[in-house]
Structure formats: structure tokens, C-alpha cells
Amino acid sequence: MKYISKLLVLFAIVMMATACSNEVNEVNYPLTVTVPAVSSVSGNSAIVTLKATGSHITYRGVCYSTSPNPAVTDSKILGGSKDLVLTIGGLAKSTTYYVRGFEQTSYDVVYSEEVSFTTTATESVDDDPQTEGPSALKRVSVHDP
């Protein structure tokens, strides 16, 4: 009887160890997101470029805010590929924004380091005046290189 109970305990331990390891292997850790590079800043838009390396990702993109440490609960733009070039539109003139890249799985959210940029006081030639002001529509575009 002692032999059977020891065998059952050993079987239970092996089953628990195997079940736990399958969940971890479902996500390709480590998830990494490069620090975003910001370019072409104007009075109401900016282009953000970054690279994300994880697989089995639910969402990836950038989150941004006028407060430090933006999170996925703040404004965000989602992208589909691992090499992201995202245009954030509808920004306020002469305002500092903080931006972080992120990857989200069903288990976790991984953020890049934060960068900040300040929009200009004037619009660029290509800016659309309809995107200015609090009631303006936010224009967003995604470019896959």
C-alpha cells in the first residue's frame, strides 16, 4: 500500500510540473520593446518608430499621455507588425507628451523605456486645421515598412 501511495504522489507531482510548463511556453519570453524614436514633430502630430520582438501577442503599439509613465489605459495606437511606424495625430500645440512602446499578452504587459517630445507652436504645411482643438477628430495612421 505504501508503494502505491508513493507512486500516486510522484505521478501527481509530474503532472503538475508538466501542466505549468506548457502555459509558460505558450508565450515567447522574453518580450522586449525598443525605446521609441520620435520624429517629424509638428503642432498636432508626431511619428513614432519602434521594434517589438515577442510572439503570441494580443496587442502591440505605443501609449502616450501628457503625464509621465503612460500605460495601455491611456491613449494608445495599436500596430500589427514587429517593426512599427505609427503617426500620432490630434495632438495639442506646444504640449509635452510622454510615449512608451508596449506588448500585451493574455498574461502580461511589457513596456519600453519612456521618451518625451514637445509639439511645436505652429502647424506644419501638411497639418490639417480640422485636427486642432478639443472637439477635433484624432487622425491616426499606421505604416508598415
Side-chain angles (χ1 to χ4, degrees):
M1 191 64 155
K2 286 184 180 183
Y3 179 74
I4 292 174
S5 62
K6 288 181 182 179
L7 187 60
L8 286 175
V9 170
L10 180 61
F11 178 76
I13 291 171
V14 169
M15 291 302 292
M16 287 189 303
T18 304
C20 292
S21 66
N22 286 340
E23 289 180 25
V24 173
N25 289 334
E26 185 175 324
V27 178
N28 184 15
Y29 283 102
L31 301 174
T32 58
V33 183
T34 61
V35 178
V38 179
S39 62
S40 301
V41 178
S42 71
N44 64 0
S45 67
I47 296 175
V48 180
T49 306
L50 64 123
K51 183 176 286 222
T53 63
S55 63
H56 300 285
I57 302 301
T58 306
Y59 302 106
R60 70 169 44 101
V62 295
C63 49
Y64 61 98
S65 175
T66 55
S67 300
N69 297 314
V72 295
T73 55
D74 293 313
S75 297
K76 65 180 167 268
I77 299 176
L78 303 177
S81 69
K82 292 184 178 188
D83 296 314
L84 301 172
V85 179
L86 305 169
T87 302
I88 303 173
L91 303 176
K93 294 179 187 176
S94 301
T95 303
T96 299
Y97 287 90
Y98 300 87
V99 64
R100 294 196 297 177
F102 73 91
E103 285 189 324
Q104 183 172 358
T105 69
S106 57
Y107 304 104
D108 199 7
V109 177
V110 176
Y111 293 98
S112 70
E113 291 183 33
E114 174 184 283
V115 295
S116 64
F117 65 93
T118 302
T119 54
T120 62
T122 60
E123 298 174 11
S124 71
V125 175
D126 295 333
D127 285 344
D128 184 346
Q130 293 179 354
T131 62
E132 295 299 310
S135 64
L137 295 174
K138 185 174 291 183
R139 296 184 182 231
V140 174
S141 60
V142 177
H143 310 280
D144 286 325

